[in-house]
Amino acid sequence: MNLQSVDLVAIGPPLVVAIAALVILLADLALPASSRRRREQVATGLMLAGLLAGLGWAIGLAASGPRSTFCSAAGCYYVADGFTAYFQILVLAAVALVVLLARSSLTDDDLPPGEFGF
């Protein structure tokens, strides 16, 4: 059996955002349903925190050299280099902007905050 090591630094930005999405769902579940405004604030704050953490990680990844993970004899299946980091930064910044612009829709359209954040 061939065990491969996983470079968690290379897959950090999407991993941080995925963990933040799960935390948003759990936080929404833990807060009482009667405090809608508080649930919206917590979901928005956690969304932005997760996106900013991923963004910071991607910026740090751009400053370092290329990293690869999920490698086998056929080659590496994930390479985090400057090109990867550039698009991660671009997408995470765009999603953070969407979250900020969608705050009023979250309140006005009566969307579930946990599901929206996820």
Side-chain angles (χ1 to χ4, degrees), residues 61-102:
L61 204 57
S64 69
R67 302 179 72 100
S68 38
T69 190
F70 303 119
C71 297
S72 69
C76 293
Y77 296 105
Y78 187 83
V79 177
D81 55 1
F83 188 71
T84 305
Y86 170 75
F87 278 101
Q88 286 177 345
I89 292 167
L90 185 69
V91 168
L92 290 172
V95 172
L97 183 64
V98 167
V99 167
L100 289 173
L101 292 174

Side-chain angles (χ1 to χ4, degrees), residues 12-88:
L15 189 62
V16 165
V17 173
I19 290 170
L22 292 175
V23 169
I24 290 167
L25 278 179
L26 292 175
D28 189 53
L29 180 66
L31 292 171
S34 60
S35 61
R36 173 148 178 89
R37 180 77 177 142
R38 179 75 179 138
R39 289 174 47 220
E40 290 170 359
Q41 291 172 343
V42 168
T44 303
L46 288 173
M47 280 188 272
L48 290 175
L51 290 169
L52 291 177
L55 190 61
W57 199 315
I59 290 170
L61 204 57
S64 69
R67 302 179 72 100
S68 38
T69 190
F70 303 119
C71 297
S72 69
C76 293
Y77 296 105
Y78 187 83
V79 177
D81 55 1
F83 188 71
T84 305
Y86 170 75
F87 278 101
Q88 286 177 345

Side-chain angles (χ1 to χ4, degrees), residues 3-18:
L3 294 177
Q4 50 181 290
S5 63
V6 176
D7 186 5
L8 292 177
V9 174
I11 60 171
L15 189 62
V16 165
V17 173

